[in-house]
Amino acid sequence: MEGWQRAFVLHSRPYSETSLLLDLFTESQGRVRVLAKGARSRRSQLKGTLQPFTPLLVRWGGRGEVKTLRNAEAVSLALPLSGITLYCGLYVNELLSRVLEQEIPFSELFFDYLNCIQELAAGTASPEPALRRFELALLGHLGYGVDFLHCAGSGEAIDDAMTYSYREEKGFIASLVLNQRSFTGHQLRAIEARSFPDADSLRAAKRFTRIALKPYLGGKPLKSQELFRQFIPKKKPDAPQA
């Protein structure tokens, strides 16, 4: 790859005694796996640079599935995530690592990711709205198109007071049945607007993204969610969740 690209480290693991195997999320090439030779050695200039949430400029080369990292520079200090926001950031990173195929461009998603991490770093009252907006953006970029504003059965505009049942590949259909796939018109409008004025609409958005992301994630649980449960062993009513 010629030239520099903006990137973030999604995941890293040791490779041999002195190297790192990295999953990068890059601005124009999407997810790229690279080998950072010697990055763990004492004299490496990259030591401490290749960390999650640090804005990077990178260059790599090679033609195989695993490229070779040529250069990497930190554009700025790592975005300050700690405690709950750190676990939320790890969740976002793991989500991208799991659902994105390698070397498929997602330039707009790169900026959705950047906005999400910046919002988490800002330390607002709750990180959940940022997570739900990112999940919805990710689904959109993956081609998961859903009409939140019209009944899939009749084509009519949704009614805030009515209940709709979600069906894959069809959409939301008016229904009197109440279950985990049931959403009110008010909730659907909030999801469409990516704006969550109350806890009820925020919970509804989480239910929908869990349903929609499940086919992409399969049956394997996310490690970041397990870590989060350990961090908050007893669920509290207002405790945010990844």
Side-chain angles (χ1 to χ4, degrees), residues 165 177-183 207:
S165 180
V177 177
L178 298 178
N179 54 35
Q180 282 297 102
R181 291 174 174 261
S182 301
F183 299 84
R207 275 196 294 120

Side-chain angles (χ1 to χ4, degrees), residues 208-235:
F208 172 75
T209 58
R210 288 295 178 271
I211 293 169
L213 285 168
K214 188 174 181 179
Y216 295 96
L217 295 172
K220 186 179 179 181
L222 292 168
K223 294 180 181 179
S224 53
Q225 290 181 329
E226 294 300 321
L227 289 171
F228 193 90
R229 293 188 186 100
Q230 294 174 22
F231 181 73
I232 305 180
K234 293 184 179 180
K235 182 180 176 182

Side-chain angles (χ1 to χ4, degrees), residues 62-164:
R63 296 183 179 181
E65 182 177 341
V66 179
K67 316 300 184 190
T68 300
L69 187 69
R70 304 297 189 200
N71 302 95
E73 295 179 3
V75 176
S76 66
L77 296 176
L79 293 169
L81 302 183
S82 62
I84 290 173
T85 59
L86 175 59
Y87 285 98
C88 291
L90 293 174
Y91 163 74
V92 171
N93 281 5
E94 187 178 8
L95 195 58
L96 288 178
S97 295
R98 287 277 296 273
V99 306
L100 295 186
E101 298 292 336
Q102 288 196 56
E103 298 183 57
I104 297 179
F106 284 100
S107 297
E108 292 182 8
L109 180 60
F110 181 85
F111 289 100
D112 288 323
Y113 171 82
L114 177 58
N115 289 337
C116 178
I117 298 303
Q118 288 177 329
E119 193 170 348
L120 291 175
T124 53
S126 170
E128 287 203 57
L131 295 181
R132 303 293 85 86
R133 281 190 285 270
F134 179 76
E135 289 168 340
L136 290 165
L138 174 60
L139 286 164
H141 291 301
L142 291 173
Y144 198 97
V146 179
D147 185 347
F148 295 100
L149 300 181
H150 295 87
C151 174
S154 66
E156 296 179 356
I158 60 170
D159 185 313
D160 282 11
M162 288 186 64
T163 301
Y164 300 84

Side-chain angles (χ1 to χ4, degrees), residues 23 28 37 59 107 134 141 145 182 233 238:
D23 270 352
S28 63
K37 295 181 179 179
R59 292 176 61 223
S107 297
F134 179 76
H141 291 301
S182 301
D238 299 325

